[in-house]
Amino acid sequence: MAKRNFTRNSVRKTRGGVWKILKSHKPSDWNSFLNASYPNEQALAEAFASHFRNKVNNLKASPEPDDIFEQLEKKFKDCPKWDIHPCSTDEVAKAIDSIKPSSSFGPDSISNRLIKELKFEALDAITLVFNRCISEGIFPDIWKHGKIVPVHKSGPRNRIENFRPVCLFGNLGKLLKCVVRQQFLNHLEHILPDNIFGFRPGRGTQDATGNVLDAIHRHRAKGKCVALLALDASSAFDLLNHDVIIRSLEIVGASPLMCKWSESFLKGCKNYVQIGDSQSDPWIVETGAGQGRRLSPDYYNLATMSQAIFAVLSDFLAMQTTPVWTWCTVTLHRNVT
């Protein structure tokens, strides 16, 4: 009862409710790490960088999606062409209004609060830079650098494997992604399959659950047995193949400028880990759309239409010739069990 009362009182007192509490975390005490193995923060930063980098490298595989691309080309053969276009000052102002006035910042040391305070003074200059990036199909290298801060997940706080990477990019780069994303979403929402529920406006876990349950009840009412196949994608955003994303964009009607900008956005990214005032050596990220980037969920949804695993599922389902069984598949949020 004491625990329950404490929780209720905490929720009532906290602005933002229960999710504000769940998403909060205690500052990491790096002193528990400093020992013979990690004599200083610099050594600890290098250890974290090695751990995060090796985790992705160990899970990385080369996809073979040619068969899926062939099927997608048939499905989207009549898909109209579309492209990104220069933005207006109103679009940039709307993007600035949508960001939270936080004081956190990436490698460029520019916070959202500073951008919002200087909105009207810098609006024309920011719009000019953004339109130059869009017209030339370039995402500047300075905005591809990510500062990774390890955040504790669970378990003992003196073990590196119990931390997850939170990546902070430049906030001006986030604004450009936001502007491009608004143009991108208008087309993407029309081509994504109905059974993709994750990271889409107006859709959520409850919709996916209801869709699956309805299908199960419908088939059971016809006297069929139903098997549900559930998959968990580990480090999903970090393992997306860049060529798969670009090829998928071409298939769904993206014109060369959007493909060129997306390729510039995805390739050549660098990350480093920061512990206190110490930074690890940066490394080039060869796969993935990046954690915490505005376009990552959209690229993920686009790529899951053509990932090699769906080719495996298609072959597997094709072998199920008996009419007694019905297989239900659905794409959920990647962090839902």
Side-chain angles (χ1 to χ4, degrees):
M1 290 179 63
K3 181 178 180 181
R4 181 192 65 187
N5 293 334
F6 171 79
T7 303
R8 288 180 176 176
N9 291 332
S10 298
V11 172
R12 292 192 187 102
K13 294 178 181 179
T14 302
R15 185 178 181 182
V18 64
W19 286 110
K20 182 72 173 180
I21 297 175
L22 291 175
K23 292 180 179 179
S24 65
H25 60 84
K26 298 179 180 179
S28 298
D29 180 12
W30 304 121
N31 291 327
S32 60
F33 278 97
L34 302 181
N35 50 37
S37 301
Y38 314 113
N40 50 49
E41 290 181 344
Q42 180 65 42
L44 183 57
E46 295 293 350
F48 269 112
S50 177
H51 170 70
F52 295 143
R53 186 169 59 248
N54 291 337
K55 181 181 179 181
V56 173
N57 290 337
N58 292 335
L59 292 171
K60 186 169 57 177
S62 298
E64 298 178 1
D66 292 341
D67 292 338
I68 288 295
F69 284 153
E70 183 179 349
Q71 297 301 319
L72 286 178
E73 287 173 348
K74 293 178 181 178
K75 178 176 177 59
F76 296 106
K77 62 180 179 179
D78 298 324
C79 188
K81 291 291 183 180
W82 59 277
D83 211 341
I84 53 177
H85 53 78
C87 59
S88 64
T89 54
D90 290 339
E91 290 175 312
V92 177
K94 184 178 179 180
I96 294 176
D97 291 338
S98 68
I99 61 177
K100 297 180 180 179
S102 62
S103 57
S104 61
F105 52 84
D108 60 2
S109 300
I110 299 176
S111 67
N112 283 344
R113 180 171 297 176
L114 179 62
I115 295 174
K116 293 178 80 71
E117 289 179 353
L118 298 178
K119 169 185 172 182
F120 296 105
E121 289 81 357
L123 186 58
D124 290 337
I126 293 175
T127 304
L128 178 65
V129 172
F130 284 4
N131 283 333
R132 185 70 180 270
C133 294
I134 292 173
S135 62
E136 296 190 10
I138 292 175
F139 190 79
D141 289 342
I142 188 65
W143 294 337
K144 297 181 187 180
H145 298 171
K147 178 177 70 174
I148 293 180
V149 179
V151 175
H152 180 255
K153 293 188 299 183
S154 61
R157 289 177 174 267
N158 60 349
R159 298 179 65 87
I160 287 179
E161 57 268 25
N162 292 334
F163 285 73
R164 64 182 178 89
V166 172
C167 195
L168 301 176
F169 290 93
N171 288 315
L172 283 175
K174 289 182 180 180
L175 272 182
L176 175 56
K177 300 169 204 170
C178 185
V179 171
V180 172
R181 184 173 186 262
Q182 290 305 311
Q183 302 178 20
F184 181 35
L185 280 182
N186 292 333
H187 183 79
L188 187 63
E189 280 300 306
H190 288 90
I191 59 100
L192 286 177
D194 290 336
N195 66 339
I196 292 183
F197 295 89
F199 317 113
R200 299 181 68 180
R203 295 171 179 245
T205 306
Q206 68 277 10
D207 300 302
T209 304
N211 182 278
V212 172
L213 291 176
D214 288 344
I216 291 174
H217 294 320
R218 184 168 59 251
H219 293 304
R220 290 294 300 273
K222 295 179 181 180
K224 296 182 179 181
C225 295
V226 181
L228 177 65
L229 180 61
L231 304 174
D232 179 26
S234 180
S235 299
F237 285 5
D238 294 324
L239 294 173
L240 289 173
N241 183 276
H242 294 163
D243 294 332
V244 169
I245 296 175
I246 301 302
R247 182 69 184 116
S248 298
L249 278 171
E250 294 173 349
I251 292 174
V252 299
S255 294
L257 183 59
M258 176 60 183
C259 294
K260 180 182 178 181
W261 187 90
S262 295
E263 186 172 9
S264 175
F265 172 80
L266 293 167
K267 296 187 177 182
C269 296
K270 291 183 178 181
N271 289 344
Y272 65 88
V273 174
Q274 179 151 349
I275 302 294
D277 296 327
S278 300
Q279 298 179 1
S280 70
D281 291 333
W283 72 92
I284 296 178
V285 181
E286 298 178 348
T287 60
Q291 297 286 348
R293 306 177 85 182
R294 289 289 183 95
L295 284 166
S296 296
D298 306 308
Y299 284 136
Y300 177 78
N301 278 341
L302 181 68
T304 53
M305 295 195 302
S306 53
Q307 287 285 20
I309 189 171
F310 282 90
V312 176
L313 284 176
S314 299
D315 293 339
F316 179 74
L317 297 177
M319 295 187 295
Q320 311 306 313
T321 57
T322 172
V324 178
W325 288 90
T326 297
W327 293 83
C328 299
T329 59
V330 63
T331 300
L332 291 162
H333 289 279
R334 67 184 181 91
N335 59 344
V336 175
T337 302

